[in-house]
Amino acid sequence: MEYAFLFFIGLVIGSFCNVAGLRVPLKKSIVYPGSSCSACDRKLGWCELIPVVSWVIQRGRCRGCKGEILILYPVTELLTGLLFMLSPLLLGWSFELCISWSLIAMLAIITVSDLVYMIIPDRILFVFGSFFITLRLWVQIGSAWNPVLGFLLGFGLLYFIAAASGGGMGGGDVKLMGVAGIVLGWKAVLLAFMLALFFGAVFGTAGIALKRLNRKQRIPFGPFLAAGILFSYFFYEEIAGFYFSQMH
């Protein structure tokens, strides 16, 4: 029952992350006004706000204007719910879950924002970054210097790439990896970046091969960073162990 409850809570949090990801970049309140259709601006009723279920029942269409509702909404809700439920299975029941669930929520928000606007809001990173600093003083990973080194490596590495590429890497990506470094530590944040590059390369190659993308088309890198961060956070030991076992 506790896992079903966590899945439900994750769905609700995912719905809130959709709202935050769509409103914060536009400097709008995440509380008022209530949710409305982005096409006809009609205020949504309670039965249209049930995570995932409402989208399925309405077949991805507004009940009023029949405008399309982005599939991004239910996907974000569903993934957030699943990750909330899986966190204690992967980490155990400990105070680390406070960091895990907060990390999932932050990455859900920045993924929505980056996919829709190609912006990773500073306000989101500042709020969560401050929270992670406080939690890492309480729930440490290895040396007390690990989060500091993680921040310096995550921020510094991407800052160097952004400067060297003349803007090929956005400022939001740089700051995101700095915040991620606080959570992951220096080893895991390096793995997170390598995984993000791998995911991005696979997506880009597949998109070009299927003629869905062209070589000059800009795509947001935030979602790939988010995926790399999550994989490194949950599976660093397994991935690093497998890698080094292949070296011998």
Side-chain angles (χ1 to χ4, degrees), residues 152-172:
L152 293 175
L153 179 60
F155 183 91
L157 177 62
L158 267 73
Y159 182 84
F160 174 79
I161 294 174
S165 63
M169 187 75 65

Side-chain angles (χ1 to χ4, degrees), residues 107-120:
L107 295 176
I109 294 171
I110 67 98
T111 296
V112 170
S113 175
D114 208 22
L115 285 173
V116 176
Y117 306 113
M118 294 192 74
I119 294 173
I120 297 178

Side-chain angles (χ1 to χ4, degrees), residues 29-201:
S29 169
I30 59 176
V31 179
Y32 181 84
S35 297
S36 61
C37 174
S38 58
C40 66
D41 205 33
R42 181 181 62 86
K43 186 176 180 180
L44 302 181
W46 69 268
C47 60
E48 299 172 87
L49 297 173
I50 304 172
V52 180
V53 175
S54 293
W55 189 91
V56 173
I57 292 176
Q58 296 169 206
R59 299 182 179 181
R61 297 284 177 180
C62 171
R63 293 178 64 190
C65 68
K66 305 304 179 184
E68 182 180 3
I69 302 173
L70 294 177
I71 195 173
L72 175 64
Y73 298 165
V75 168
T76 300
E77 294 163 352
L78 186 59
L79 287 178
T80 305
L82 288 172
L83 288 169
F84 264 58
M85 181 181 67
L86 290 173
S87 288
L89 292 172
L90 297 171
L91 302 174
W93 292 93
S94 68
F95 289 115
E96 182 67 28
L97 288 175
C98 295
I99 294 177
S100 172
W101 292 327
S102 300
L103 180 65
I104 292 165
M106 180 190 75
L107 295 176
I109 294 171
I110 67 98
T111 296
V112 170
S113 175
D114 208 22
L115 285 173
V116 176
Y117 306 113
M118 294 192 74
I119 294 173
I120 297 178
D122 288 344
R123 289 170 60 190
I124 297 299
L125 296 176
F126 177 78
V127 169
F128 280 95
S130 302
F131 185 62
F132 291 139
I133 290 172
T134 303
L135 286 179
R136 272 292 173 241
L137 292 173
W138 184 25
V139 186
Q140 295 185 3
I141 45 169
S143 166
W145 287 99
N146 203 16
V148 178
L149 295 175
F151 170 80
L152 293 175
L153 179 60
F155 183 91
L157 177 62
L158 267 73
Y159 182 84
F160 174 79
I161 294 174
S165 63
M169 187 75 65
D173 299 326
V174 176
K175 298 166 195 169
L176 171 60
M177 288 306 286
V179 173
I182 298 170
V183 176
L184 300 175
W186 73 271
K187 293 180 181 178
V189 80
L190 182 59
L191 174 62
F193 180 62
M194 295 171 62
L195 288 172
L197 291 177
F198 172 74
F199 295 145

